C-alpha cells in the first residue's frame, strides 16, 4: 500500500503546476536568508572583482529592476503555457493535457522566475541608505547572487521560448506518449513473470466448487477511474483472513459507487471492516493514468490518430506516425510474458485472482477505431497492414498470430469496400500478403533491442 499510494501522490504532484515552483520558492527563501547571514557575519571574503561594490541606491535599483522584470516574465510565461494547453486540447485531445501538465521543463521555468523574484524582494528589504535613519547597509554578496540569478533567468527564458515551441509539435507529443507506453510495458510486463499454461489450469482447479454460491461481493465506496490496485495489500488481507478474492475490475475502468470490486470467499467473513480494508487497496481518481493501465497510452495514440484523420483536420501523416508508435509498442509487448491472474501466497496457496488484460484486447483497442475511421484512406490502411506485418515478425504465439490475422482480414475487407481506385486496392492486397507471409514464417520471435 505504501508504494502504490506514494506513487499516486508523486503522480499528483508531478502533474501540478504548483509543486516544483513552490519548492523552488522555498529554496530561494532559504538562499536569501543564508546569503544575508553570510553578509552580516562577514565569514566569506568578498574582495573579488565580480562582487557588487556599489551603494545602497544602486543595489535597490538593481534588485527592484530584477524583481519587477521577473514577475512580468513569469506572467508572460504562464500565459504562453495556457495557450499551449489550449492548442494541445484542440489538436490532440483533452486526455493529452495531463502529459503537458507533467512537463518538468515548464514547471522549472516558472519556479526559476518566481524564486528569483522572491529572493530579490527578501534581499531588497534589508538594504539601508544613509538617509533612511539607519546605518548604511548593503549586503554585497547577496546582491551579487541576485545579479547571478537574473543572468540565469535570462538563460531559462531562452530555453523556455525553444521548449514552448517544441512541446506543441505533433512529433514531440507522440514520442512522449510512446515513451509512456514502453515504460508501462517495462513496468507491468517484466520478461519473466506469471505462469505457463499448466499453472493456469492448476489455478482454475484450485478454485472451490462452491465459490460462486458462497462468495459475497465487495462493493465500491466511491466513484471514479480505478488508477491502481495494491496487490501486496490485497495479498496481506487475503492471508490474514484466509480468503480467496476474485477481482471484478482492472485499472483503467470507471467505477460507480456500489458496483462490484471483488468476490470474497468464504462470504461469511465479509463485514464492514473487511469491506473498508479491501476498498482501501483500490486507488480511485478523477482521470486515468498509465501507472497500472497499459491501455491508456494506447488509447491516447489512437485518439491523436483519429483526430488527425478526421475531415476537419485531414492529416494522415500524423495518423501514420501514431500507427508506427503503436506497432513499436506492440512489438515490444509480444515479447513479454503476460502476468498470471492467479496469485499465490508464500505457501503456494491461491489467494486472489486478478482481472488482467490480454493481447487480443490490446490489439483491438489499437487498431479497430483507426481501421474504422481510416478505411477510405489508402495510406493509413497500408500502414496498418505494415504495422501488423512488423508485429508478426516478433511472435510465434498462435493466439497472437490469429488475432493479427483477424485484423488483417478486416482491413483488407474494408479496403475492398471503401477504396475506389483499383491500384489502391492492389497496393493494399500486396501489404496484406506480406502480413500472411510473416505470420507463416517459422523464424519469427526476434529479440527486442
Amino acid at each position: 500500500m505504501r508504494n502504490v499510494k506514494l506513487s499516486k501522490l508523486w503522480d499528483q504532484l508531478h502533474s501540478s503546476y504548483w509543486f516544483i515552483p513552490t519548492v523552488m520558492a522555498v529554496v530561494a527563501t532559504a538562499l536569501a536568508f543564508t546569503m544575508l547571514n553570510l553578509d552580516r557575519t562577514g565569514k566569506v571574503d568578498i574582495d573579488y572583482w565580480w562582487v557588487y561594490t556599489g551603494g545602497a541606491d544602486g543595489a535597490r535599483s538593481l534588485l527592484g529592476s530584477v524583481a519587477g522584470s521577473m514577475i512580468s516574465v513569469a506572467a508572460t510565461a504562464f500565459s504562453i503555457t495556457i495557450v499551449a494547453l489550449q492548442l494541445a486540447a484542440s489538436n490532440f485531445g483533452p486526455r493529452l493535457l495531463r502529459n503537458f501538465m507533467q512537463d518538468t521543463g515548464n514547471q522549472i521555468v516558472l519556479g526559476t522566475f518566481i524564486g528569483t523574484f522572491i529572493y530579490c524582494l527578501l534581499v531588497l528589504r534589508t538594504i539601508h541608505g544613509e538617509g533612511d535613519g539607519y546605518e548604511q547597509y548593503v549586503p554585497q554578496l547577496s546582491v551579487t547572487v541576485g545579479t547571478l540569478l537574473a543572468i540565469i533567468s535570462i538563460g531559462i527564458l531562452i530555453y523556455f521560448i525553444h521548449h514552448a515551441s517544441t512541446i506543441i509539435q505533433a512529433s514531440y507529443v507522440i514520442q512522449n506518449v510512446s515513451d509512456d507506453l514502453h515504460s508501462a510495458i517495462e513496468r507491468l510486463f517484466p520478461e519473466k513473470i506469471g505462469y505457463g499454461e499448466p499453472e493456469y489450469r492448476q489455478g482454475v482447479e484450485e478454485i472451490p466448487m462452491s465459490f460462486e454460491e458462497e462468495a459475497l461481493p465487495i462493493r465500491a465506496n466511491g466513484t471514479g477511474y480505478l488508477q491502481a490496485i495494491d496487490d501486496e495489500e490485497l495479498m496481506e488481507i487475503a492471508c490474514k483472513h484466509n480468503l480467496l478474492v476474485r477481482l471484478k475490475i482492472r485499472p483503467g475502468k470507471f467505477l460507480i459507487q456500489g458496483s462490484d470490486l471483488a468476490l470474497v470467499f468464504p462470504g461469511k467473513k465479509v463485514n464492514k471492516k473487511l469491506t473498508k480494508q479491501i476498498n482501501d487497496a483500490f486507488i480511485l481518481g478523477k482521470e486515468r493514468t498509465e501507472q497500472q493501465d497499459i491501455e491508456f497510452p494506447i488509447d491516447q495514440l489512437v485518439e491523436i490518430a483519429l483526430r488527425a484523420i478526421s475531415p476537419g483536420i485531414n492529416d494522415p501523416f500524423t495518423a501514420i506516425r501514431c500507427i508506427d508508435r503503436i506497432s513499436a509498442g506492440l512489438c515490444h509487448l509480444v515479447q513479454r510474458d503476460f502476468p498470471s491472474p492467479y496469485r499465490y501466497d508464500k505457501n503456494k496457496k491461491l489467494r486472489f485472482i486478478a482481472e488482467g488484460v490480454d493481447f487480443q484486447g490490446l490489439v483491438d483497442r489499437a487498431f479497430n477505431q483507426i481501421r474504422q475511421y481510416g478505411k477510405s484512406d489508402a495510406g493509413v490502411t497500408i500502414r496498418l497492414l505494415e504495422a501488423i506485418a512488423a508485429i508478426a515478425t516478433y511472435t510465434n504465439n498462435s493466439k497472437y498470430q490469429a488475432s493479427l490475422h483477424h485484423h488483417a482480414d478486416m482491413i483488407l475487407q474494408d479496403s475492398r469496400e471503401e477504396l475506389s481506385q483499383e491500384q489502391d486496392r492492389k497496393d493494399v492486397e500486396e501489404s496484406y500478403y506480406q502480413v500472411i507471409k510473416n505470420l507463416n514464417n517459422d523464424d519469427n520471435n526476434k529479440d527486442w533491442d
Side-chain angles (χ1 to χ4, degrees), residues 304-339:
I304 297 173
L306 295 182
R307 283 177 174 268
I309 57 180
S310 64
I313 298 179
N314 193 24
D315 180 15
F317 295 102
T318 296
I320 288 173
R321 282 188 173 185
C322 293
I323 295 170
D324 292 340
R325 294 296 180 177
I326 291 172
S327 66
L330 293 180
C331 287
H332 189 180
L333 183 63
V334 294
Q335 299 172 85
R336 298 297 178 119
D337 291 333
F338 278 64

Side-chain angles (χ1 to χ4, degrees), residues 134-150:
Y134 299 93
E135 182 181 353
Q136 179 169 312
Y137 175 72
V138 179
Q140 296 177 333
L141 188 59
S142 301
V143 174
T144 303
V145 172
T147 306
L148 179 62
L149 289 177

Side-chain angles (χ1 to χ4, degrees), residues 339-360:
S340 168
Y342 302 100
R343 310 296 168 84
Y344 296 83
D345 60 17
K346 296 179 180 178
N347 298 321
K348 297 184 178 180
K349 183 175 181 180
L350 182 62
R351 286 302 182 187
F352 77 89
I353 307 167
E355 179 75 11
V357 297
D358 54 36
F359 179 75
Q360 292 84 348

Side-chain angles (χ1 to χ4, degrees), residues 131-335:
D132 296 334
Y134 299 93
E135 182 181 353
Q136 179 169 312
Y137 175 72
V138 179
Q140 296 177 333
L141 188 59
S142 301
V143 174
T144 303
V145 172
T147 306
L148 179 62
L149 289 177
I151 296 173
I152 293 174
S153 297
I154 293 174
I156 292 294
L157 176 61
I158 296 172
Y159 160 79
F160 175 72
I161 294 172
H162 167 76
H163 186 67
S165 61
T166 300
I167 61 174
I168 60 176
Q169 296 178 16
S171 58
Y172 183 92
V173 176
I174 295 170
Q175 174 68 48
N176 277 353
V177 179
S178 177
D179 291 342
D180 288 342
L181 174 58
H182 286 286
S183 297
I185 292 172
E186 292 285 346
R187 183 173 60 255
L188 301 176
F189 299 88
E191 291 182 332
K192 300 298 180 183
I193 188 172
Y195 304 97
E197 291 296 331
E199 286 76 6
Y200 274 101
R201 289 195 293 270
Q202 178 184 350
V204 174
E205 295 170 357
E206 292 180 13
I207 300 177
M209 296 293 293
S210 60
F211 181 89
E212 297 294 339
E213 291 77 18
E214 297 185 25
L216 285 181
I218 299 294
R219 306 191 188 280
N221 291 336
T223 298
Y225 287 99
L226 180 59
Q227 296 179 338
I229 301 175
D230 193 330
D231 294 347
E232 294 181 1
E233 181 69 13
L234 278 179
M235 181 63 73
E236 291 180 8
I237 294 172
C239 293
K240 180 180 179 180
H241 299 280
N242 193 23
L243 304 173
L244 174 59
V245 181
R246 171 181 283 173
L247 305 186
K248 302 290 288 183
I249 196 169
R250 66 174 182 263
K253 299 301 181 180
F254 186 75
L255 274 174
I256 301 174
Q257 186 174 3
S259 59
D260 291 350
L261 289 177
L263 290 176
V264 174
F265 176 90
K268 61 184 180 181
K269 294 188 177 182
V270 175
N271 52 43
K272 290 184 178 180
K273 182 178 179 181
L274 181 63
T275 299
K276 183 180 184 306
Q277 289 177 340
I278 293 180
N279 263 274
D280 288 343
F282 290 77
I283 312 300
L284 301 183
K286 297 180 181 178
E287 57 185 356
R288 295 170 64 185
T289 71
E290 70 280 357
Q291 184 177 356
Q292 291 185 5
D293 182 8
I294 187 66
E295 296 173 336
F296 183 52
I298 293 177
D299 288 346
Q300 287 183 310
L301 288 172
V302 170
E303 180 175 10
I304 297 173
L306 295 182
R307 283 177 174 268
I309 57 180
S310 64
I313 298 179
N314 193 24
D315 180 15
F317 295 102
T318 296
I320 288 173
R321 282 188 173 185
C322 293
I323 295 170
D324 292 340
R325 294 296 180 177
I326 291 172
S327 66
L330 293 180
C331 287
H332 189 180
L333 183 63
V334 294
Q335 299 172 85

